[in-house]
Amino acid sequence: SSLDAGAGGTVESEAGTTRVVVPAGALDDGGAAATGSVTVRATAVDVGSDSFLVSGDYTDSTTASLEAFGAVVLSNTRNLDVTSGSTLDVRVPVSTRASAPPATATAYVLDQSTGRWVAGPTATLTSGSAPYYSFQADRFGEWMVGAPLGGGVM
């Protein structure tokens, strides 16, 4: 959805399970406050049905194997960054093969240069008919909510 880069706004799926809230002043355009129109996308990834839909090898920066509980790709049409000290409020639907997703998990962002997932903020589960995790993202990119596995990758 298109929004004013300086004023911010909310981008949400029709079902409301995938959402990103961009606060006013949270977008950076090469070191300056972003202005003008920008299209922001929050695309949920159904990792519960096909684990090959996300990039990387399901390992973190310490090479621990990870289990995914949901994923989202955050992007924008102008290659803007999130201003240092700002965050985007992200909601990602639960998509997992796990019988009971945990109440909290880690939001990981993909390091495209290594193909590994870097641990970020805590994601909190909201249960209900359309459960989702919410977390604060400090950048655009490919995000996965997950946790280290005790054994092999599922």
Side-chain angles (χ1 to χ4, degrees), residues 1-12 18-29 33-42 73-78 80-83 85-91 135-141:
S1 292
S2 187
L3 54 86
D4 181 296
T10 300
V11 175
E12 191 168 39
T18 306
R19 182 182 79 187
V20 60
V21 177
V22 179
L27 299 181
D28 177 87
D29 189 2
T35 59
S37 182
V38 62
T39 299
V40 174
R41 293 184 184 98
V73 177
L74 302 177
S75 61
N76 70 80
T77 55
R78 292 181 38 206
L80 301 175
D81 295 315
V82 177
T83 302
S86 294
T87 58
L88 309 176
D89 180 26
V90 179
R91 180 187 290 180
F135 63 92
Q136 300 295 309
D138 64 354
R139 68 192 82 178
F140 288 94

Side-chain angles (χ1 to χ4, degrees), residues 82-106:
V82 177
T83 302
S84 179
S86 294
T87 58
L88 309 176
D89 180 26
V90 179
R91 180 187 290 180
V92 57
V94 171
S95 176
T96 182
R97 295 178 186 161
S99 58
T104 60
T106 301

Side-chain angles (χ1 to χ4, degrees), residues 41-117:
R41 293 184 184 98
T43 307
V45 181
D46 189 7
V47 292
S49 69
D50 185 350
S51 62
F52 291 104
L53 293 175
V54 294
S55 303
D57 62 359
Y58 282 93
T59 59
D60 68 11
S61 55
T62 68
T63 70
S65 296
L66 301 172
E67 177 179 13
F69 305 118
V72 65
V73 177
L74 302 177
S75 61
N76 70 80
T77 55
R78 292 181 38 206
N79 292 322
L80 301 175
D81 295 315
V82 177
T83 302
S84 179
S86 294
T87 58
L88 309 176
D89 180 26
V90 179
R91 180 187 290 180
V92 57
V94 171
S95 176
T96 182
R97 295 178 186 161
S99 58
T104 60
T106 301
Y108 294 87
V109 64
L110 181 68
D111 179 333
Q112 293 185 348
S113 65
T114 65
R116 298 198 187 275
W117 294 90

